[in-house]
Amino acid sequence: MQVQDELKIKLEVFEGPLDLLLYLIKKDELDIYDIPIERITNQYMEYLGLMRMLDLDIAGDFLVMAATLLMIKSRMLLPPEERPALEPEEEDPRWDLIRKLVEYKKFKDAAGTLQEMEAIQGNSFLRQSEEPAIPQSPEIELDEVTIFDLISVFNDALKKVQPEVIGEIIAEGITVADKIEMLLAVIKEKTSIPFVKLFDQAATRHEIICTFLAVLELVRLHQINARQDKTFGEIMVLRAGE
């Protein structure tokens, strides 16, 4: 189900298939060296299906990874004696995937460390004749929310809605543009609100999808921010600048 709306949502892909796999591994606290292929493949395909439903631009790398996971999954489901033999120079695709994930994670962690060092350096000051005043309640830095964090909450909201709801035909008249106006009014009044609460009044899948796309568009336009106080913590939607 795709939302055909007068407002077409276009987002830059700032995370790729390896980011999604690492997110799923971390979310379920899995061992990166012992990934349950069937489970991780099913979850990956579920997220890919949600991205397609939302009509988001999906890079070809996501589809290549999907094909790789499905190939590994089909191979693992076969009895050992029926699995195709690998050529002498051919590497087990599971270990090839694990090696790529481990290497990517190393670079990703290193980049994160450099960003933290940059932030610390940016908040450092040379000693002056007078000590700078230290605020009594220092601002807490919040972890940035990824697109996969948002999709996870969106998926949970979809699962709570019945496939067929009375009045769905009326609700289909809601557009992304309508939801953008509603969200701007809400955030203007409350300054911040839990992301999951934005779906409380949505009666249908269509309305939930429109709400989610409205949030993505407002984030892209820098009208709102999405933050969380810890990894996989509650996501808060805040008015830009708060």
Side-chain angles (χ1 to χ4, degrees), residues 32-34 72 91-100:
I32 196 171
Y33 292 100
D34 188 21
I72 297 174
E91 185 178 24
D92 189 326
R94 289 175 300 168
W95 286 110
D96 182 47
L97 176 61
I98 289 171
R99 188 182 69 252
K100 288 179 181 177

Side-chain angles (χ1 to χ4, degrees), residues 1-142:
M1 175 182 178
Q2 291 186 340
V3 176
Q4 299 299 326
D5 201 356
E6 76 280 0
L7 179 62
K8 183 73 172 179
I9 305 296
K10 290 291 183 182
L11 297 172
E12 295 181 2
V13 176
F14 51 91
E15 277 133 351
L18 291 175
D19 291 287
L20 176 52
L21 285 178
L22 288 174
Y23 173 83
L24 295 173
I25 289 169
K26 190 172 182 180
K27 186 172 184 286
D28 287 354
E29 299 180 342
L30 302 176
D31 182 355
I32 196 171
Y33 292 100
D34 188 21
I35 303 171
I37 291 296
E38 182 176 4
R39 176 177 169 186
I40 209 73
T41 300
N42 293 341
Q43 291 179 343
Y44 182 93
M45 296 306 295
E46 181 179 20
Y47 273 68
L48 195 61
L50 291 167
M51 293 166 71
R52 282 172 166 163
M53 178 197 299
L54 293 165
D55 206 14
L56 301 180
D57 285 335
I58 301 175
D61 290 346
F62 277 95
L63 304 181
V64 172
M65 180 61 72
T68 301
L69 288 171
L70 289 172
M71 182 270 291
I72 297 174
K73 175 184 173 181
S74 62
R75 180 184 176 86
M76 295 298 295
L77 290 176
L78 290 173
E81 63 274 10
E82 296 183 18
R83 294 175 188 171
L86 296 173
E87 297 295 332
E89 69 279 1
E90 190 177 0
E91 185 178 24
D92 189 326
R94 289 175 300 168
W95 286 110
D96 182 47
L97 176 61
I98 289 171
R99 188 182 69 252
K100 288 179 181 177
L101 280 170
V102 171
E103 289 298 317
Y104 185 75
K105 187 175 184 301
K106 287 180 181 177
F107 283 110
K108 193 177 178 72
D109 291 343
T113 300
L114 290 175
Q115 285 182 343
E116 289 177 6
M117 293 172 65
E118 182 181 8
I120 293 172
Q121 184 65 31
N123 290 326
S124 300
F125 302 92
L126 294 175
R127 184 178 180 86
Q128 304 294 328
S129 56
E130 294 184 3
E131 292 284 343
I134 300 176
Q136 296 298 319
S137 301
E139 182 180 352
I140 300 175
E141 289 293 329
L142 301 177

Side-chain angles (χ1 to χ4, degrees), residues 226-237:
R227 299 289 182 90
Q228 55 188 175
D229 60 359
K230 61 180 179 180
T231 304
F232 303 119
E234 183 175 43
I235 299 173
M236 297 297 296
V237 175

